[in-house]
Amino acid sequence: MTKELIYSGKAKDLYTTEDDDVILSVYKDQATAFNGVKKEQIAGKGVLNNKISSFIFEKLNAAGVKTHFIKKVSETEQLNQKVTIIPLEVVLRNYTAGSFSKRFGVAEGIALPEPIVEFYYKNDDLDDPFINDEHVKFLDIANDAQIAYLKEETRRINALLVDWFQQIGLKLIDFKLEFGFDKDGNIILADEFSPDNCRLWDAQGHHMDKDVFRRGLGELTDVYEVVWQKLQALK
């Protein structure tokens, strides 16, 4: 069977495999920001994101989180369960930063009393607008039980990630998750987890994530390599 391109995204290309229930995800060297307005090719980024995401997903699988991750098969490729993506970006915030700080006019880095979960409608043409539970139901994206599950599972994942990153001296500021329905209709974690879709600060408050690219703070791959090396202490 010749692999066929299913989807070409900003950070990954997805291909068919011999198994109809399995896809091949190929990580790109492309970096984008501001919904694709800023775009560059950065050599080595795909390799690092594949390493980091594979490592995190292996730990999440081992901790009992249901994910689409099967295994890493090359420097830039991994096998994933095929899912129907739920068109929501599920964002969890532990500290104020980014669009949250702009929206409410508050400084970055303020610890939130409780983590805040937000939904964004996954639609590039509409610039991924911020939406609430009622909007999610109106758009027929998810029902009450599914919305509750997405929030509960995101908070559970957050507790694991905060602990792991604390162990290696990094503060998990916020992150974005995507979920999908597997072939049996179960909601499982999909997409990736890398410095592309989270904010990580070190003890000195230095950005260890894609804000380095967004804000022109340095070399993206240098920062991602540091994150990767730190993660080795969790093996």
Side-chain angles (χ1 to χ4, degrees), residues 135-169:
H135 297 138
V136 173
K137 289 190 287 184
F138 167 74
L139 293 167
D140 200 25
I141 295 171
N143 59 33
D144 283 326
Q146 291 166 338
I147 290 169
Y149 179 79
L150 289 169
K151 290 181 177 180
E152 178 186 357
E153 190 70 349
T154 298
R155 292 182 188 278
R156 183 165 78 99
I157 291 166
N158 179 56
L160 293 166
L161 293 171
V162 165
D163 177 50
W164 296 337
F165 284 116
Q166 278 180 345
Q167 290 180 46
I168 57 173

Side-chain angles (χ1 to χ4, degrees), residues 52-64:
I52 293 169
S53 191
S54 295
F55 183 88
I56 294 293
F57 268 74
E58 284 171 0
K59 287 187 70 64
L60 288 171
N61 282 344

Side-chain angles (χ1 to χ4, degrees), residues 178-234:
E178 293 184 20
F179 293 85
F181 293 104
D182 67 12
K183 63 180 180 178
D184 298 317
N186 301 309
I187 296 176
I188 64 173
L189 182 64
D191 195 41
E192 68 179 271
F193 193 92
S194 74
D196 266 17
N197 63 305
C198 72
R199 283 190 175 90
L200 294 166
W201 293 1
D202 68 11
Q204 290 73 45
H206 297 136
H207 295 269
M208 308 296 291
D209 52 64
K210 199 164 74 169
D211 273 350
V212 169
F213 173 70
R214 290 188 190 98
R215 304 180 185 188
L217 300 175
E219 293 295 328
L220 191 71
T221 47
D222 289 350
V223 170
Y224 285 23
E225 180 65 35
V226 171
V227 173
W228 170 242
Q229 292 303 325
K230 283 179 175 291
L231 285 170
Q232 302 316 293
L234 297 176

